[in-house]
Amino acid sequence: MKLRRTILLFLICSLAGCIGSVNPISTRTLLLEEGDRVSQRRDAIPKLYEFYNNRPDDREGYEVISKRGGKFILNYVPSLGLLTLCGKPGLGWSKQFIDVDETLLKTLVDNKATFDDLNTGKYDTLLVTKTPVFRVNTNGKPF
């Protein structure tokens, strides 16, 4: 009987760990290595939009990661309509927006929105903040 309970608890924990996950293998990543912190954060949204629109295949997620001065992750999961930000890798996701589609991404590009604009709430009237943050998989290290 004790063994049954242990197995049942293990199965429940295993299944609970799968809820809300996106397969990291299906996340396509663009690494930004050129430019300083300001330029990388300024160009993050246009680069993500271009990267997503020029995709050679369909993936579950697309992201732009700064490997140098910008130090951020901008992750987009189109099927879920999630745009997720990490402003300081290692400290977790900082903000997440729901109901984001290609048209809304284009609007952000047209308005010259920056990563910092999204992270500080400048576009909170246009974007719907999701709390708690749905943990999306990434090829970066938000935690």
Side-chain angles (χ1 to χ4, degrees), residues 72-123:
F72 66 83
I73 302 169
L74 182 60
N75 183 292
Y76 178 53
V77 181
S79 63
L80 300 176
L82 294 175
L83 182 64
T84 310
L85 289 67
C86 174
K88 293 181 182 176
L91 297 179
W93 297 110
S94 56
K95 215 163 196 185
Q96 186 172 65
F97 304 101
I98 58 172
D99 300 328
V100 177
D101 60 9
E102 189 174 339
T103 304
L104 187 50
L105 277 180
K106 176 71 168 124
T107 301
L108 293 171
V109 170
D110 292 344
N111 287 321
K112 297 183 179 1
T114 68
F115 179 90
D116 290 330
D117 289 341
L118 299 183
N119 214 20
T120 59
K122 183 175 179 180
Y123 287 90

